[in-house]
């Protein structure tokens, strides 16, 4: 028990705010593997967090835990909303903005990661607890007219 207290004291005294995002992503992957998460789930988390990490690097924003907060996450959401999907692939014909449902799944992955950071003691609170995904656009589907129904059945 003395050993546990000593380790805990060292953990509490650690400068956690200086830990870089890349190391945290690796720890999160290790945690998910040992928890028995599916390979696809782990790959999805890694992909989303990798995009987040690249976004921070490419925009010159700090990548230390102490600088990762709701504001950084919102900047990332805005980046995703303005980003053209598959912008680096010349072979893709369908271009355009990311769908809101895709951005919502990115936000869910980020929130899961930040929740894990809090549970593991990296942060004192879940910094994204109040962050909500953007609302999805509602598509109104027009009903078929009686003439169209007759043509389909005819």
């Amino acid at each position: 028990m003395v050993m546990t207290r000593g380790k805990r004291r060292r953990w509490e005294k650690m400068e956690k705010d200086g830990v870089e995002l890349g190391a945290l992503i690796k720890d999160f992957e290790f945690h998910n593997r040992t928890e028995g998460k599916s390979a696809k789930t782990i790959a999805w988390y890694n992909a989303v967090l990798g995009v987040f990490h690249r976004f921070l690097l490419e925009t010159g924003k700090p990548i230390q835990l102490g600088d990762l907060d709701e504001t950084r996450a919102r900047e990332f959401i805005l980046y995703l909303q303005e980003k053209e999907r598959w912008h680096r692939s010349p072979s893709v014909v369908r271009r355009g903005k990311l769908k809101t449902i895709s951005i919502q799944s990115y936000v869910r992955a980020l929130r899961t990661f930040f929740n894990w950071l809090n549970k593991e003691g990296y942060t004192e609170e879940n910094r994204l607890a109040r962050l909500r995904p953007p609302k999805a656009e509602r598509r109104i589907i027009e009903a078929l007219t009686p003439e169209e129904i007759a043509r389909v059945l005819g």
Side-chain angles (χ1 to χ4, degrees), residues 78-117:
L78 184 60
Y79 162 79
L80 292 173
Q81 290 171 330
E82 295 174 347
K83 178 183 186 227
E84 187 172 312
R85 60 183 169 177
W86 303 300
H87 69 283
R88 291 189 179 146
S89 178
S91 63
V92 175
V93 177
R94 286 180 35 211
R95 295 196 184 274
K97 304 290 182 192
L98 287 174
K99 300 260 185 217
T100 307
I101 192 126
S102 297
I103 297 170
Q104 287 175 337
S105 72
Y106 275 68
V107 172
R108 281 192 296 277
L110 268 183
R111 288 190 62 199
T112 300
F113 176 65
F114 275 80
N115 188 44
W116 173 81
L117 289 171

mmCIF file of all heavy atoms in Angstrom, residues 78-117:
data_model
loop_
_atom_site.group_PDB
_atom_site.id
_atom_site.type_symbol
_atom_site.label_atom_id
_atom_site.label_comp_id
_atom_site.label_asym_id
_atom_site.label_seq_id
_atom_site.Cartn_x
_atom_site.Cartn_y
_atom_site.Cartn_z
ATOM 1 N N LEU A 78 -15.108 23.776 -36.787
ATOM 2 C CA LEU A 78 -15.216 24.771 -37.860
ATOM 3 C C LEU A 78 -14.351 24.363 -39.047
ATOM 4 O O LEU A 78 -14.775 24.467 -40.212
ATOM 5 C CB LEU A 78 -14.816 26.154 -37.344
ATOM 6 C CG LEU A 78 -14.985 27.297 -38.333
ATOM 7 C CD1 LEU A 78 -16.439 27.445 -38.773
ATOM 8 C CD2 LEU A 78 -14.485 28.592 -37.710
ATOM 9 N N TYR A 79 -13.157 23.878 -38.772
ATOM 10 C CA TYR A 79 -12.269 23.383 -39.830
ATOM 11 C C TYR A 79 -12.955 22.260 -40.613
ATOM 12 O O TYR A 79 -12.929 22.248 -41.844
ATOM 13 C CB TYR A 79 -10.956 22.907 -39.200
ATOM 14 C CG TYR A 79 -10.130 21.998 -40.062
ATOM 15 C CD1 TYR A 79 -9.337 22.501 -41.089
ATOM 16 C CD2 TYR A 79 -10.125 20.617 -39.841
ATOM 17 C CE1 TYR A 79 -8.564 21.652 -41.880
ATOM 18 C CE2 TYR A 79 -9.364 19.767 -40.620
ATOM 19 C CZ TYR A 79 -8.589 20.288 -41.641
ATOM 20 O OH TYR A 79 -7.835 19.449 -42.421
ATOM 21 N N LEU A 80 -13.584 21.325 -39.886
ATOM 22 C CA LEU A 80 -14.268 20.213 -40.552
ATOM 23 C C LEU A 80 -15.451 20.703 -41.382
ATOM 24 O O LEU A 80 -15.706 20.196 -42.472
ATOM 25 C CB LEU A 80 -14.765 19.190 -39.512
ATOM 26 C CG LEU A 80 -13.692 18.404 -38.770
ATOM 27 C CD1 LEU A 80 -14.321 17.566 -37.665
ATOM 28 C CD2 LEU A 80 -12.880 17.531 -39.730
ATOM 29 N N GLN A 81 -16.170 21.696 -40.870
ATOM 30 C CA GLN A 81 -17.322 22.225 -41.592
ATOM 31 C C GLN A 81 -16.913 22.929 -42.881
ATOM 32 O O GLN A 81 -17.666 22.934 -43.847
ATOM 33 C CB GLN A 81 -18.113 23.189 -40.700
ATOM 34 C CG GLN A 81 -18.843 22.481 -39.580
ATOM 35 C CD GLN A 81 -19.447 23.441 -38.568
ATOM 36 O OE1 GLN A 81 -18.935 24.533 -38.336
ATOM 37 N NE2 GLN A 81 -20.532 23.013 -37.940
ATOM 38 N N GLU A 82 -15.737 23.514 -42.900
ATOM 39 C CA GLU A 82 -15.268 24.238 -44.082
ATOM 40 C C GLU A 82 -14.422 23.370 -45.020
ATOM 41 O O GLU A 82 -14.177 23.735 -46.161
ATOM 42 C CB GLU A 82 -14.458 25.455 -43.644
ATOM 43 C CG GLU A 82 -15.294 26.473 -42.902
ATOM 44 C CD GLU A 82 -14.481 27.617 -42.335
ATOM 45 O OE1 GLU A 82 -13.229 27.524 -42.301
ATOM 46 O OE2 GLU A 82 -15.103 28.606 -41.911
ATOM 47 N N LYS A 83 -13.986 22.221 -44.515
ATOM 48 C CA LYS A 83 -13.092 21.351 -45.261
ATOM 49 C C LYS A 83 -13.818 20.673 -46.421
ATOM 50 O O LYS A 83 -14.952 20.262 -46.304
ATOM 51 C CB LYS A 83 -12.561 20.286 -44.299
ATOM 52 C CG LYS A 83 -11.664 19.269 -44.914
ATOM 53 C CD LYS A 83 -11.261 18.238 -43.875
ATOM 54 C CE LYS A 83 -10.261 17.330 -44.480
ATOM 55 N NZ LYS A 83 -10.411 15.966 -44.314
ATOM 56 N N GLU A 84 -13.116 20.574 -47.536
ATOM 57 C CA GLU A 84 -13.650 19.825 -48.663
ATOM 58 C C GLU A 84 -13.231 18.375 -48.488
ATOM 59 O O GLU A 84 -12.057 18.084 -48.261
ATOM 60 C CB GLU A 84 -13.108 20.383 -49.979
ATOM 61 C CG GLU A 84 -13.766 19.762 -51.179
ATOM 62 C CD GLU A 84 -13.364 20.444 -52.470
ATOM 63 O OE1 GLU A 84 -13.405 21.676 -52.531
ATOM 64 O OE2 GLU A 84 -13.006 19.715 -53.409
ATOM 65 N N ARG A 85 -14.193 17.464 -48.569
ATOM 66 C CA ARG A 85 -13.847 16.060 -48.385
ATOM 67 C C ARG A 85 -13.011 15.565 -49.554
ATOM 68 O O ARG A 85 -13.191 16.006 -50.692
ATOM 69 C CB ARG A 85 -15.096 15.199 -48.196
ATOM 70 C CG ARG A 85 -16.046 15.241 -49.358
ATOM 71 C CD ARG A 85 -17.276 14.429 -49.069
ATOM 72 N NE ARG A 85 -18.240 14.739 -50.118
ATOM 73 C CZ ARG A 85 -19.392 14.181 -50.234
ATOM 74 N NH1 ARG A 85 -19.756 13.273 -49.369
ATOM 75 N NH2 ARG A 85 -20.206 14.501 -51.200
ATOM 76 N N TRP A 86 -12.100 14.682 -49.236
ATOM 77 C CA TRP A 86 -11.188 14.086 -50.210
ATOM 78 C C TRP A 86 -10.460 15.137 -51.029
ATOM 79 O O TRP A 86 -10.228 14.969 -52.219
ATOM 80 C CB TRP A 86 -11.931 13.123 -51.133
ATOM 81 C CG TRP A 86 -12.629 12.040 -50.428
ATOM 82 C CD1 TRP A 86 -12.089 11.097 -49.618
ATOM 83 C CD2 TRP A 86 -14.034 11.788 -50.433
ATOM 84 N NE1 TRP A 86 -13.046 10.278 -49.120
ATOM 85 C CE2 TRP A 86 -14.254 10.671 -49.602
ATOM 86 C CE3 TRP A 86 -15.117 12.382 -51.058
ATOM 87 C CZ2 TRP A 86 -15.520 10.153 -49.389
ATOM 88 C CZ3 TRP A 86 -16.370 11.860 -50.842
ATOM 89 C CH2 TRP A 86 -16.563 10.762 -50.019
ATOM 90 N N HIS A 87 -10.085 16.235 -50.404
ATOM 91 C CA HIS A 87 -9.464 17.331 -51.147
ATOM 92 C C HIS A 87 -8.100 16.974 -51.719
ATOM 93 O O HIS A 87 -7.621 17.650 -52.609
ATOM 94 C CB HIS A 87 -9.374 18.582 -50.277
ATOM 95 C CG HIS A 87 -8.413 18.480 -49.139
ATOM 96 N ND1 HIS A 87 -8.701 17.778 -47.990
ATOM 97 C CD2 HIS A 87 -7.170 18.970 -48.979
ATOM 98 C CE1 HIS A 87 -7.675 17.855 -47.171
ATOM 99 N NE2 HIS A 87 -6.742 18.575 -47.733
ATOM 100 N N ARG A 88 -7.478 15.922 -51.249
ATOM 101 C CA ARG A 88 -6.142 15.571 -51.750
ATOM 102 C C ARG A 88 -6.169 14.411 -52.743
ATOM 103 O O ARG A 88 -5.137 13.969 -53.189
ATOM 104 C CB ARG A 88 -5.239 15.204 -50.575
ATOM 105 C CG ARG A 88 -4.921 16.407 -49.718
ATOM 106 C CD ARG A 88 -3.866 16.085 -48.706
ATOM 107 N NE ARG A 88 -3.587 17.276 -47.926
ATOM 108 C CZ ARG A 88 -3.267 17.271 -46.664
ATOM 109 N NH1 ARG A 88 -3.169 16.145 -46.006
ATOM 110 N NH2 ARG A 88 -3.029 18.383 -46.022
ATOM 111 N N SER A 89 -7.361 13.914 -53.044
ATOM 112 C CA SER A 89 -7.453 12.769 -53.930
ATOM 113 C C SER A 89 -7.979 13.189 -55.300
ATOM 114 O O SER A 89 -9.160 13.482 -55.447
ATOM 115 C CB SER A 89 -8.382 11.711 -53.318
ATOM 116 O OG SER A 89 -8.505 10.631 -54.197
ATOM 117 N N PRO A 90 -7.114 13.196 -56.329
ATOM 118 C CA PRO A 90 -7.561 13.628 -57.651
ATOM 119 C C PRO A 90 -8.505 12.628 -58.311
ATOM 120 O O PRO A 90 -9.226 12.968 -59.233
ATOM 121 C CB PRO A 90 -6.255 13.755 -58.442
ATOM 122 C CG PRO A 90 -5.288 12.883 -57.738
ATOM 123 C CD PRO A 90 -5.712 12.848 -56.283
ATOM 124 N N SER A 91 -8.528 11.378 -57.844
ATOM 125 C CA SER A 91 -9.357 10.358 -58.487
ATOM 126 C C SER A 91 -10.814 10.393 -58.021
ATOM 127 O O SER A 91 -11.658 9.767 -58.630
ATOM 128 C CB SER A 91 -8.771 8.974 -58.216
ATOM 129 O OG SER A 91 -8.799 8.713 -56.827
ATOM 130 N N VAL A 92 -11.107 11.110 -56.961
ATOM 131 C CA VAL A 92 -12.471 11.142 -56.435
ATOM 132 C C VAL A 92 -13.285 12.170 -57.213
ATOM 133 O O VAL A 92 -12.903 13.331 -57.332
ATOM 134 C CB VAL A 92 -12.470 11.471 -54.928
ATOM 135 C CG1 VAL A 92 -13.888 11.633 -54.414
ATOM 136 C CG2 VAL A 92 -11.749 10.384 -54.166
ATOM 137 N N VAL A 93 -14.412 11.730 -57.721
ATOM 138 C CA VAL A 93 -15.273 12.606 -58.511
ATOM 139 C C VAL A 93 -16.173 13.432 -57.602
ATOM 140 O O VAL A 93 -16.355 14.613 -57.807
ATOM 141 C CB VAL A 93 -16.121 11.775 -59.506
ATOM 142 C CG1 VAL A 93 -17.067 12.665 -60.285
ATOM 143 C CG2 VAL A 93 -15.216 10.991 -60.437
ATOM 144 N N ARG A 94 -16.770 12.787 -56.583
ATOM 145 C CA ARG A 94 -17.679 13.488 -55.671
ATOM 146 C C ARG A 94 -16.885 14.339 -54.703
ATOM 147 O O ARG A 94 -16.124 13.862 -53.897
ATOM 148 C CB ARG A 94 -18.514 12.479 -54.882
ATOM 149 C CG ARG A 94 -19.579 11.833 -55.690
ATOM 150 C CD ARG A 94 -20.393 10.836 -54.903
ATOM 151 N NE ARG A 94 -20.579 11.223 -53.516
ATOM 152 C CZ ARG A 94 -20.692 10.370 -52.521
ATOM 153 N NH1 ARG A 94 -20.635 9.084 -52.741
ATOM 154 N NH2 ARG A 94 -20.874 10.782 -51.288
ATOM 155 N N ARG A 95 -17.078 15.605 -54.797
ATOM 156 C CA ARG A 95 -16.417 16.526 -53.881
ATOM 157 C C ARG A 95 -17.488 17.295 -53.142
ATOM 158 O O ARG A 95 -18.663 17.163 -53.410
ATOM 159 C CB ARG A 95 -15.509 17.477 -54.641
ATOM 160 C CG ARG A 95 -14.346 16.774 -55.317
ATOM 161 C CD ARG A 95 -13.271 17.756 -55.720
ATOM 162 N NE ARG A 95 -12.221 17.098 -56.445
ATOM 163 C CZ ARG A 95 -11.190 16.493 -55.886
ATOM 164 N NH1 ARG A 95 -11.071 16.455 -54.590
ATOM 165 N NH2 ARG A 95 -10.254 15.931 -56.616
ATOM 166 N N GLY A 96 -17.087 18.094 -52.227
ATOM 167 C CA GLY A 96 -18.037 18.894 -51.464
ATOM 168 C C GLY A 96 -17.634 18.925 -50.007
ATOM 169 O O GLY A 96 -16.585 18.416 -49.622
ATOM 170 N N LYS A 97 -18.469 19.507 -49.208
ATOM 171 C CA LYS A 97 -18.204 19.623 -47.774
ATOM 172 C C LYS A 97 -18.554 18.311 -47.074
ATOM 173 O O LYS A 97 -19.342 17.510 -47.568
ATOM 174 C CB LYS A 97 -19.036 20.755 -47.165
ATOM 175 C CG LYS A 97 -18.818 22.101 -47.827
ATOM 176 C CD LYS A 97 -17.461 22.643 -47.524
ATOM 177 C CE LYS A 97 -17.280 24.009 -48.166
ATOM 178 N NZ LYS A 97 -15.952 24.472 -48.156
ATOM 179 N N LEU A 98 -17.964 18.121 -45.904
ATOM 180 C CA LEU A 98 -18.309 16.953 -45.098
ATOM 181 C C LEU A 98 -19.758 17.064 -44.655
ATOM 182 O O LEU A 98 -20.247 18.149 -44.360
ATOM 183 C CB LEU A 98 -17.425 16.883 -43.849
ATOM 184 C CG LEU A 98 -15.980 16.479 -44.045
ATOM 185 C CD1 LEU A 98 -15.227 16.622 -42.721
ATOM 186 C CD2 LEU A 98 -15.875 15.058 -44.529
ATOM 187 N N LYS A 99 -20.432 15.961 -44.586
ATOM 188 C CA LYS A 99 -21.811 15.938 -44.107
ATOM 189 C C LYS A 99 -21.806 16.177 -42.598
ATOM 190 O O LYS A 99 -20.856 15.815 -41.901
ATOM 191 C CB LYS A 99 -22.457 14.583 -44.400
ATOM 192 C CG LYS A 99 -22.490 14.239 -45.868
ATOM 193 C CD LYS A 99 -23.844 14.519 -46.406
ATOM 194 C CE LYS A 99 -23.910 14.063 -47.846
ATOM 195 N NZ LYS A 99 -24.681 14.908 -48.659
ATOM 196 N N THR A 100 -22.871 16.779 -42.120
ATOM 197 C CA THR A 100 -22.985 17.069 -40.691
ATOM 198 C C THR A 100 -22.920 15.797 -39.869
ATOM 199 O O THR A 100 -22.338 15.774 -38.787
ATOM 200 C CB THR A 100 -24.297 17.825 -40.396
ATOM 201 O OG1 THR A 100 -24.359 18.969 -41.244
ATOM 202 C CG2 THR A 100 -24.359 18.276 -38.961
ATOM 203 N N ILE A 101 -23.489 14.715 -40.372
ATOM 204 C CA ILE A 101 -23.462 13.451 -39.627
ATOM 205 C C ILE A 101 -22.028 12.965 -39.433
ATOM 206 O O ILE A 101 -21.696 12.388 -38.394
ATOM 207 C CB ILE A 101 -24.356 12.382 -40.293
ATOM 208 C CG1 ILE A 101 -24.551 11.210 -39.363
ATOM 209 C CG2 ILE A 101 -23.812 11.915 -41.592
ATOM 210 C CD1 ILE A 101 -25.961 10.862 -39.119
ATOM 211 N N SER A 102 -21.163 13.220 -40.409
ATOM 212 C CA SER A 102 -19.750 12.848 -40.275
ATOM 213 C C SER A 102 -19.085 13.694 -39.194
ATOM 214 O O SER A 102 -18.329 13.182 -38.364
ATOM 215 C CB SER A 102 -19.013 13.042 -41.596
ATOM 216 O OG SER A 102 -19.537 12.199 -42.578
ATOM 217 N N ILE A 103 -19.377 14.976 -39.210
ATOM 218 C CA ILE A 103 -18.794 15.877 -38.212
ATOM 219 C C ILE A 103 -19.292 15.491 -36.817
ATOM 220 O O ILE A 103 -18.528 15.514 -35.851
ATOM 221 C CB ILE A 103 -19.112 17.341 -38.559
ATOM 222 C CG1 ILE A 103 -18.452 17.701 -39.900
ATOM 223 C CG2 ILE A 103 -18.631 18.285 -37.456
ATOM 224 C CD1 ILE A 103 -18.872 19.026 -40.477
ATOM 225 N N GLN A 104 -20.554 15.090 -36.719
ATOM 226 C CA GLN A 104 -21.089 14.656 -35.432
ATOM 227 C C GLN A 104 -20.326 13.446 -34.904
ATOM 228 O O GLN A 104 -20.044 13.367 -33.707
ATOM 229 C CB GLN A 104 -22.577 14.299 -35.566
ATOM 230 C CG GLN A 104 -23.487 15.476 -35.726
ATOM 231 C CD GLN A 104 -24.917 15.064 -35.974
ATOM 232 O OE1 GLN A 104 -25.204 13.962 -36.440
ATOM 233 N NE2 GLN A 104 -25.835 15.969 -35.677
ATOM 234 N N SER A 105 -19.961 12.522 -35.773
ATOM 235 C CA SER A 105 -19.222 11.348 -35.301
ATOM 236 C C SER A 105 -17.801 11.721 -34.876
ATOM 237 O O SER A 105 -17.258 11.146 -33.942
ATOM 238 C CB SER A 105 -19.230 10.234 -36.341
ATOM 239 O OG SER A 105 -18.424 10.546 -37.427
ATOM 240 N N TYR A 106 -17.201 12.722 -35.544
ATOM 241 C CA TYR A 106 -15.893 13.219 -35.122
ATOM 242 C C TYR A 106 -16.000 13.810 -33.708
ATOM 243 O O TYR A 106 -15.146 13.566 -32.857
ATOM 244 C CB TYR A 106 -15.392 14.307 -36.074
ATOM 245 C CG TYR A 106 -14.674 13.803 -37.300
ATOM 246 C CD1 TYR A 106 -15.348 13.116 -38.300
ATOM 247 C CD2 TYR A 106 -13.324 14.039 -37.472
ATOM 248 C CE1 TYR A 106 -14.689 12.673 -39.433
ATOM 249 C CE2 TYR A 106 -12.656 13.607 -38.603
ATOM 250 C CZ TYR A 106 -13.348 12.910 -39.584
ATOM 251 O OH TYR A 106 -12.688 12.469 -40.695
ATOM 252 N N VAL A 107 -17.055 14.577 -33.473
ATOM 253 C CA VAL A 107 -17.254 15.197 -32.156
ATOM 254 C C VAL A 107 -17.455 14.115 -31.099
ATOM 255 O O VAL A 107 -16.905 14.204 -29.997
ATOM 256 C CB VAL A 107 -18.435 16.190 -32.182
ATOM 257 C CG1 VAL A 107 -18.778 16.682 -30.787
ATOM 258 C CG2 VAL A 107 -18.110 17.367 -33.091
ATOM 259 N N ARG A 108 -18.219 13.069 -31.415
ATOM 260 C CA ARG A 108 -18.425 11.985 -30.447
ATOM 261 C C ARG A 108 -17.096 11.301 -30.093
ATOM 262 O O ARG A 108 -16.844 10.986 -28.931
ATOM 263 C CB ARG A 108 -19.431 10.977 -30.984
ATOM 264 C CG ARG A 108 -20.866 11.429 -30.836
ATOM 265 C CD ARG A 108 -21.857 10.308 -31.106
ATOM 266 N NE ARG A 108 -21.817 9.826 -32.470
ATOM 267 C CZ ARG A 108 -22.447 10.399 -33.492
ATOM 268 N NH1 ARG A 108 -23.156 11.485 -33.306
ATOM 269 N NH2 ARG A 108 -22.362 9.888 -34.695
ATOM 270 N N ALA A 109 -16.254 11.093 -31.089
ATOM 271 C CA ALA A 109 -14.948 10.474 -30.833
ATOM 272 C C ALA A 109 -14.077 11.382 -29.958
ATOM 273 O O ALA A 109 -13.420 10.909 -29.023
ATOM 274 C CB ALA A 109 -14.240 10.157 -32.149
ATOM 275 N N LEU A 110 -14.078 12.682 -30.259
ATOM 276 C CA LEU A 110 -13.312 13.633 -29.431
ATOM 277 C C LEU A 110 -13.819 13.641 -27.994
ATOM 278 O O LEU A 110 -13.036 13.651 -27.049
ATOM 279 C CB LEU A 110 -13.428 15.042 -30.003
ATOM 280 C CG LEU A 110 -12.388 15.525 -30.982
ATOM 281 C CD1 LEU A 110 -12.639 16.970 -31.360
ATOM 282 C CD2 LEU A 110 -10.982 15.344 -30.478
ATOM 283 N N ARG A 111 -15.130 13.651 -27.831
ATOM 284 C CA ARG A 111 -15.717 13.669 -26.485
ATOM 285 C C ARG A 111 -15.355 12.393 -25.721
ATOM 286 O O ARG A 111 -15.068 12.441 -24.526
ATOM 287 C CB ARG A 111 -17.225 13.846 -26.560
ATOM 288 C CG ARG A 111 -17.601 15.265 -26.986
ATOM 289 C CD ARG A 111 -19.046 15.532 -26.844
ATOM 290 N NE ARG A 111 -19.408 15.401 -25.437
ATOM 291 C CZ ARG A 111 -20.639 15.222 -25.002
ATOM 292 N NH1 ARG A 111 -21.633 15.149 -25.846
ATOM 293 N NH2 ARG A 111 -20.883 15.118 -23.724
ATOM 294 N N THR A 112 -15.353 11.261 -26.406
ATOM 295 C CA THR A 112 -14.957 10.003 -25.765
ATOM 296 C C THR A 112 -13.506 10.077 -25.296
ATOM 297 O O THR A 112 -13.183 9.668 -24.175
ATOM 298 C CB THR A 112 -15.136 8.824 -26.746
ATOM 299 O OG1 THR A 112 -16.512 8.753 -27.129
ATOM 300 C CG2 THR A 112 -14.704 7.512 -26.126
ATOM 301 N N PHE A 113 -12.642 10.627 -26.133
ATOM 302 C CA PHE A 113 -11.229 10.772 -25.786
ATOM 303 C C PHE A 113 -11.054 11.689 -24.574
ATOM 304 O O PHE A 113 -10.335 11.356 -23.629
ATOM 305 C CB PHE A 113 -10.465 11.314 -26.997
ATOM 306 C CG PHE A 113 -9.015 11.602 -26.747
ATOM 307 C CD1 PHE A 113 -8.120 10.584 -26.437
ATOM 308 C CD2 PHE A 113 -8.518 12.898 -26.836
ATOM 309 C CE1 PHE A 113 -6.774 10.851 -26.216
ATOM 310 C CE2 PHE A 113 -7.184 13.174 -26.623
ATOM 311 C CZ PHE A 113 -6.308 12.151 -26.311
ATOM 312 N N PHE A 114 -11.725 12.823 -24.580
ATOM 313 C CA PHE A 114 -11.598 13.758 -23.462
ATOM 314 C C PHE A 114 -12.223 13.200 -22.183
ATOM 315 O O PHE A 114 -11.735 13.475 -21.087
ATOM 316 C CB PHE A 114 -12.196 15.124 -23.819
ATOM 317 C CG PHE A 114 -11.223 16.014 -24.540
ATOM 318 C CD1 PHE A 114 -10.983 15.857 -25.893
ATOM 319 C CD2 PHE A 114 -10.510 16.984 -23.853
ATOM 320 C CE1 PHE A 114 -10.078 16.663 -26.559
ATOM 321 C CE2 PHE A 114 -9.595 17.803 -24.504
ATOM 322 C CZ PHE A 114 -9.379 17.633 -25.864
ATOM 323 N N ASN A 115 -13.255 12.402 -22.316
ATOM 324 C CA ASN A 115 -13.832 11.730 -21.152
ATOM 325 C C ASN A 115 -12.817 10.738 -20.571
ATOM 326 O O ASN A 115 -12.645 10.650 -19.351
ATOM 327 C CB ASN A 115 -15.130 11.021 -21.541
ATOM 328 C CG ASN A 115 -15.869 10.476 -20.338
ATOM 329 O OD1 ASN A 115 -15.991 11.148 -19.325
ATOM 330 N ND2 ASN A 115 -16.352 9.262 -20.466
ATOM 331 N N TRP A 116 -12.129 10.023 -21.441
ATOM 332 C CA TRP A 116 -11.091 9.092 -20.997
ATOM 333 C C TRP A 116 -9.951 9.842 -20.302
ATOM 334 O O TRP A 116 -9.457 9.394 -19.265
ATOM 335 C CB TRP A 116 -10.564 8.295 -22.196
ATOM 336 C CG TRP A 116 -9.381 7.446 -21.867
ATOM 337 C CD1 TRP A 116 -9.388 6.223 -21.265
ATOM 338 C CD2 TRP A 116 -8.006 7.769 -22.095
ATOM 339 N NE1 TRP A 116 -8.104 5.762 -21.115
ATOM 340 C CE2 TRP A 116 -7.240 6.693 -21.617
ATOM 341 C CE3 TRP A 116 -7.361 8.863 -22.660
ATOM 342 C CZ2 TRP A 116 -5.845 6.686 -21.692
ATOM 343 C CZ3 TRP A 116 -5.978 8.849 -22.735
ATOM 344 C CH2 TRP A 116 -5.234 7.766 -22.254
ATOM 345 N N LEU A 117 -9.551 10.989 -20.860
ATOM 346 C CA LEU A 117 -8.495 11.786 -20.229
ATOM 347 C C LEU A 117 -8.874 12.143 -18.796
ATOM 348 O O LEU A 117 -8.045 12.079 -17.888
ATOM 349 C CB LEU A 117 -8.241 13.082 -21.025
ATOM 350 C CG LEU A 117 -7.553 12.952 -22.373
ATOM 351 C CD1 LEU A 117 -7.573 14.284 -23.107
ATOM 352 C CD2 LEU A 117 -6.126 12.435 -22.220
#
